[in-house]
Amino acid sequence: GYAQMYPPASYYGAFIQQLNPADGTTIAKYGYTDGGTTNYGITNLSYLTVDSSGNLYGAGQDPNVYGVTVMKFNSSGSILWQRLITNGTSPRYTLGQIAVDSSGNVYVGGGVNVLGSPFPVYPFVVKYNSSGTKQWMKAWTNSANNGFGNARVAVSSGGTPYVVTARGGGTGLYFFTLNASTGAITAQANFNNVAGQTPNPLAVDQS
């Protein structure tokens, strides 16, 4: 079936609701509260993806530590692991998108924001393996790709990460591919005169 994440009305936490793809009826619903420590005080898990084994991966904002929470669940809704991307109160990390490859590696894109700035100052991508161990984290601050938008990330069937973010000054979009092992940029392209400062979520076909 399909899964949906949304915040509860009155406390920090999140729900996963699994739906029957045939008629949209609820198969199961799982709730997660912050409990003071366990789930890092998340207000929602705004991005969700599923791997071929039925494991669920979610990411959301943490209002308490200005960070991004990343969580992996099994097909029964039990938490397998969770990670927090944060640096305390400044700079704050904001969420762009989460993606998973065929081996269960997880990529999280977002933006690093200095307190007082209304937009992310520069984009980042973090890679975790299937066990939740961080493999690398990359942030780009040079003039070519210093943007006001979160990094959006998707992964091809061959395991190549694709990233799009806003260019400096909101003048266009910056698109690039990464080496999955190291996070180094392997190819890039600029798109000028694209209106808006924040790109929408990225998708890659599997051909």
Side-chain angles (χ1 to χ4, degrees), residues 85 106-109 124-128 134 136-138:
I85 305 169
V106 182
Y107 296 85
V108 182
F124 75 85
V125 175
V126 181
K127 178 184 179 180
Y128 299 95
K134 185 167 72 174
W136 46 258
M137 180 175 184
K138 299 293 181 180

Side-chain angles (χ1 to χ4, degrees), residues 1-193:
Y2 300 101
Q4 178 184 11
M5 289 188 173
Y6 55 91
S10 58
Y11 54 87
Y12 290 148
F15 288 103
I16 300 175
Q17 184 167 332
Q18 188 175 12
L19 306 178
N20 186 321
D23 58 12
T25 57
T26 298
I27 298 174
K29 183 165 66 175
Y30 313 100
Y32 309 92
T33 60
D34 63 344
T37 56
T38 304
N39 291 330
Y40 302 119
I42 50 175
T43 55
N44 63 75
L45 290 171
S46 53
Y47 283 95
L48 174 69
T49 189
V50 185
D51 68 19
S52 59
S53 299
N55 297 306
L56 311 176
Y57 304 79
Q61 295 293 147
D62 184 329
N64 295 326
V65 293
Y66 304 102
V68 174
T69 298
V70 185
M71 303 177 74
K72 179 179 180 179
F73 311 84
N74 65 19
S75 58
S76 299
S78 298
I79 298 173
L80 299 178
W81 53 258
Q82 55 195 68
R83 301 292 181 263
L84 182 63
I85 305 169
T86 186
N87 192 39
T89 59
S90 182
R92 64 178 70 190
Y93 290 84
T94 56
L95 176 63
Q97 192 172 357
I98 184 173
V100 61
D101 67 16
S102 59
S103 299
N105 296 301
V106 182
Y107 296 85
V108 182
V112 184
N113 180 285
V114 177
L115 290 179
S117 174
F119 302 106
V121 176
Y122 52 90
F124 75 85
V125 175
V126 181
K127 178 184 179 180
Y128 299 95
N129 67 15
S130 60
S131 299
T133 301
K134 185 167 72 174
Q135 304 300 289
W136 46 258
M137 180 175 184
K138 299 293 181 180
W140 297 277
T141 60
N142 62 56
S143 59
N145 57 10
N146 183 22
F148 291 104
N150 289 322
R152 309 291 189 171
V153 60
V155 187
S156 71
S157 59
T160 298
Y162 289 75
V163 179
V164 63
T165 186
R167 293 179 60 197
T171 58
L173 296 178
Y174 186 79
F175 175 84
F176 51 99
T177 59
L178 303 179
N179 181 300
S181 298
T182 66
I185 294 175
T186 55
Q188 60 190 54
N190 295 327
F191 297 90
N192 297 318
N193 301 317

